[in-house]
Amino acid sequence: MTITVNADPAELAKFSELAHRWWDPESEFRPLHQINPLRLDWINGLVPLADQQVLDIGCGGGILSDSMARKGAQVTGIDLSTKALKVAQLHALEAGTPNVNYREISAEALAVEQPGSFDVVTCMEMLEHVPDPASVVQACATLVKPGGWVFFSTINRNPKSFLFAIVGAEYILKLLPRGTHEYAKMIRPSELARFCRQASLELGPTRGMEYNPLTRRYWLSADTSVNYLLATRKPEL
């Protein structure tokens, strides 16, 4: 069986080039460091992570993977950026993070290898960077155990999100490097919900993420018009 790798070489190159700066909280990855506690607390509030088998898809340099492991989870982080994974592995060694390991493998390939192996699957800020997001959602559904949770976060596609996530974040506030996001690849909540239903995942709570450029503070809210998070569950057998 041949698996076509669901990845955009230009996207991988973009994040590989910045990999060495992943753990610098004042670098281009500052927003990830700032939103990580919000993501972590939201996930941990819905499913306590201690002693859970967790898979972090598109883990990059390991910011979320590392923090979930520190909550007591047994974490596997996967990505297709060799450089980002090396950064993640090095950080885990330097910080002495327990119970976290990293692999260079796609979600689809791991789904063939280890179906139904994880209590929790996270796929954060990744779907808007791949050619076929529905394929990743299906892989997530395959990888999680019956009754397990799958968490997504991505960016809505509408005029407001274009203004805030691209014009504002990349060009005016310079929170992110220019070209980080492409408007056409952004995903409406209705589209992500459809991908999840097609993969037989039950839709759960949704949260929006907002940012105030004056206070430089992020928070979770009910407003999903720009950044949003979606929790889903695989039905019990």
Side-chain angles (χ1 to χ4, degrees), residues 25-26 30 34 173 175 211-219:
E26 299 303 319
R30 177 189 176 108
Q34 290 181 309
L173 299 173
L175 296 171
Y211 177 71
N212 183 324
L214 297 178
T215 61
R216 301 172 85 183
R217 188 176 71 86
Y218 293 85
W219 68 96

Side-chain angles (χ1 to χ4, degrees), residues 112-198:
V112 173
E113 185 184 301
Q114 295 186 44
S117 296
F118 298 93
D119 302 298
V120 175
V121 175
T122 60
C123 182
M124 314 301 256
E125 283 81 46
M126 182 235 182
L127 291 177
E128 69 272 22
H129 296 289
V130 298
D132 186 358
S135 172
V136 176
V137 173
Q138 180 60 64
C140 291
T142 302
L143 284 156
V144 74
K145 297 175 183 177
W149 289 78
V150 182
F151 294 92
F152 300 101
S153 70
T154 188
I155 305 177
N156 205 335
R157 188 177 74 258
N158 56 46
K160 181 180 176 181
S161 67
F162 177 78
L163 187 64
F164 280 59
I166 295 181
V167 177
E170 296 182 18
Y171 288 83
I172 298 173
L173 299 173
K174 295 181 169 58
L175 296 171
L176 300 166
R178 291 184 181 189
T180 297
H181 296 112
E182 291 179 41
Y183 181 72
K185 289 186 175 180
M186 293 177 177
I187 301 167
R188 294 190 181 110
S190 59
E191 294 167 340
L192 181 53
R194 186 177 77 246
F195 298 156
C196 291
R197 284 193 293 268
Q198 289 170 345

Side-chain angles (χ1 to χ4, degrees), residues 70-87:
R70 291 183 178 277
K71 286 285 187 185
Q74 181 73 46
V75 180
T76 299
I78 66 170
D79 204 288
L80 291 173
S81 168
T82 307
K83 287 184 178 178
L85 287 174
K86 285 180 178 174
V87 168

Side-chain angles (χ1 to χ4, degrees), residues 3-14:
I3 296 176
T4 304
V5 177
N6 180 21
D8 181 340
E11 293 285 339
L12 289 177
K14 187 160 59 184

